[in-house]
């Protein structure tokens, strides 16, 4: 049976996948870079600089390292500004119940977010204390879809990957979970997340007891 749940954050526990999108879109519009929700699908779960690279490639724009740094920082400024308004009310419905169900079953809880803003966002959401371990994206070698961040969390929790369930809204994240040798629950579109072992429309549809046999 599973012994740990490892959650992604943005787009799984709260709607910040959209907040990231709006921050990128604001920067892209200012720079005249064509960017839309369709391109944004490829950005989900991807780290900050790689996300900018995807936007630039799609727009056919080449920039210097300094220019890229400046654009990534500008986007992050917009994002940080937006999450300063986040409160526990912004948790997706069902999150508190899922965390309680997991705790009641004695499961370890980990967080595997690619975001350097994850700790601050968890604080704003009021759930930082609910996790046994929160990965620091800045200290992870290879970003999703590499398995590194999920393996880091499993090791810190002291649970074998085969006993972990990863929960992700991004194709890159589901790929990372699978390559870590874990079971994957996709949150969102089953076609986009075809690699997941199970796919749910949203976290509210996650019944921990149904997934974790006693
Ligand atoms: C991921 C998001 O969780 O974090 C991506 O899905 C985002 O959209 C990435 O780019 C990095 O976030 P940050 O806050 O470090 O720029
Ligand atoms: Mg996500």
């Amino acid at each position: 049976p599973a012994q740990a749940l490892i959650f992604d954050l943005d787009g799984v526990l709260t709607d910040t996948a959209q907040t990231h999108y709006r921050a990128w879109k604001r920067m892209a519009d200012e720079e005249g870079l064509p960017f839309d929700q369709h391109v944004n699908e490829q950005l989900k779960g991807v780290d900050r600089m790689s996300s900018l690279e995807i936007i630039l490639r799609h727009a056919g724009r080449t920039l210097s390292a300094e220019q890229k740094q400046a654009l990534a920082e500008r986007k992050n400024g917009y994002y940080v500004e937006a999450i300063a308004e986040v409160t526990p009310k912004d948790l997706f419905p069902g999150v508190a119940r899922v965390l309680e169900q997991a705790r009641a079953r004695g499961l370890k809880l980990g967080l595997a977010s690619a975001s350097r803003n994850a700790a601050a966002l968890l604080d704003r959401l009021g759930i930082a204390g609910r996790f046994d371990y929160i990965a620091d994206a800045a200290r992870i070698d290879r970003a999703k879809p590499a398995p590194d961040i999920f393996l880091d969390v499993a090791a810190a929790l002291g649970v074998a990957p085969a006993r972990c369930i990863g929960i992700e809204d991004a194709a890159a994240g589901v790929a990372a979970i699978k390559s870590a040798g874990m079971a994957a629950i996709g949150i969102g579109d089953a076609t986009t997340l075809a690699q997941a072992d199970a796919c749910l429309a949203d976290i509210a549809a996650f019944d921990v007891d149904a997934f974790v046999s006693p």
Side-chain angles (χ1 to χ4, degrees):
Q3 295 173 347
L5 299 183
I6 305 180
F7 293 88
D8 175 45
L9 173 58
D10 298 315
V12 170
L13 302 181
T14 187
D15 201 19
T16 38
Q18 280 307 307
T19 316
H20 278 292
Y21 170 70
R22 284 191 298 270
W24 283 123
K25 180 70 179 151
R26 183 168 163 194
M27 182 283 291
D29 285 352
E30 288 166 354
E31 294 300 313
L33 300 166
F35 177 57
D36 58 22
Q37 292 272 17
H38 181 73
V39 178
N40 188 58
E41 246 347 279
Q42 299 171 45
L43 267 49
K44 288 186 182 170
V46 174
D47 66 64
R48 195 181 305 166
M49 196 47 84
S50 306
S51 297
L52 177 60
E53 302 280 5
I54 292 169
I55 293 172
L56 293 174
R57 193 184 329 127
H58 185 262
R61 188 84 63 89
T62 316
L63 296 177
S64 70
E66 293 73 27
Q67 289 170 318
K68 286 192 271 193
Q69 197 56 45
L71 292 190
E73 273 167 28
R74 197 197 303 168
K75 177 269 175 178
N76 191 55
Y78 297 152
Y79 181 75
V80 167
E81 191 181 304
I83 62 169
E85 310 294 322
V86 167
T87 76
K89 288 198 182 110
D90 292 304
L91 281 172
F92 277 141
V95 172
R97 188 255 314 149
V98 164
L99 296 178
E100 276 153 31
Q101 256 187 324
R103 188 58 75 196
R105 283 200 157 255
L107 299 173
K108 292 260 167 50
L109 297 177
L111 194 97
S113 171
S115 174
R116 314 270 168 126
N117 294 295
L121 180 57
L122 284 181
D123 274 337
R124 301 282 330 156
L125 290 166
I127 55 169
R130 304 280 206 110
F131 293 91
D132 298 295
Y133 179 75
I134 296 165
D136 177 357
R139 297 184 51 228
I140 304 296
D141 277 347
R142 298 175 305 159
K144 300 171 189 177
D148 300 31
I149 193 165
F150 285 95
L151 293 175
D152 173 70
V153 176
L157 295 176
V159 177
R163 293 292 183 88
C164 296
I165 298 177
I167 301 116
E168 265 284 356
D169 69 316
V174 169
I177 295 169
K178 292 316 294 174
S179 110
M182 302 176 182
I185 297 179
I187 301 290
D189 176 52
T191 314
T192 313
L193 306 175
Q195 228 195 317
D197 298 285
C199 198
L200 305 170
D202 48 38
I203 191 94
F206 184 23
D207 179 354
V208 176
D209 294 322
F211 273 88
V212 183
S213 42

